[in-house]
Amino acid sequence: MTDQLTDTTHAVDLRYFAAARAALGRSEETLSVPASATVADVVARLAAATPAAEPVLARCSVLLDGRRAAPSDVVPAGANLDLLPPFAGG
C-alpha cells in the first residue's frame, strides 16, 4: 500500500483592479492554494487576510483565465484570476 498525498497545493496568479487593488494595497500576487480550492475559497482567503477589503471583494466579478467564473469553479494549477469591482462608464 502506498501513501497518497491528500493535501496538495498549487500556485495561482491573481490580479486586482481599481477598488480591489486599492483595498488590498497591491495589484497582483501569487498564492498557493489547495488543489480543490474554488473561486469562492480564494476570495474568502483574501477577505480573511484583509478584512477591510471584504466589502469590495464581495462585489467583484472574477475572471478565471479570461472567462467569467462562478464561485463554485475549481481553480486549476497555474490559473490566472482577475478580480474586477463593479464600475460605471459610458
Side-chain angles (χ1 to χ4, degrees):
M1 180 188 232
T2 60
D3 290 327
Q4 292 184 325
L5 185 60
T6 58
D7 189 22
T8 60
T9 61
H10 56 256
V12 296
D13 294 319
L14 294 100
R15 294 188 305 173
Y16 313 117
F17 295 88
R21 178 178 52 227
L24 291 164
R26 55 196 176 277
S27 61
E28 60 185 45
E29 67 182 308
T30 300
L31 288 179
S32 180
V33 300
S36 61
T38 63
V39 169
D41 295 333
V42 174
V43 172
R45 178 175 167 183
L46 293 171
T50 310
E54 193 279 330
V56 173
L57 296 174
R59 294 189 315 266
C60 283
S61 295
V62 180
L63 301 181
L64 173 59
D65 292 331
R67 301 179 92 165
R68 188 169 179 122
S72 61
D73 288 347
V74 174
V75 181
N80 295 299
L81 289 177
D82 296 328
L83 279 77
L84 306 153
F87 58 92

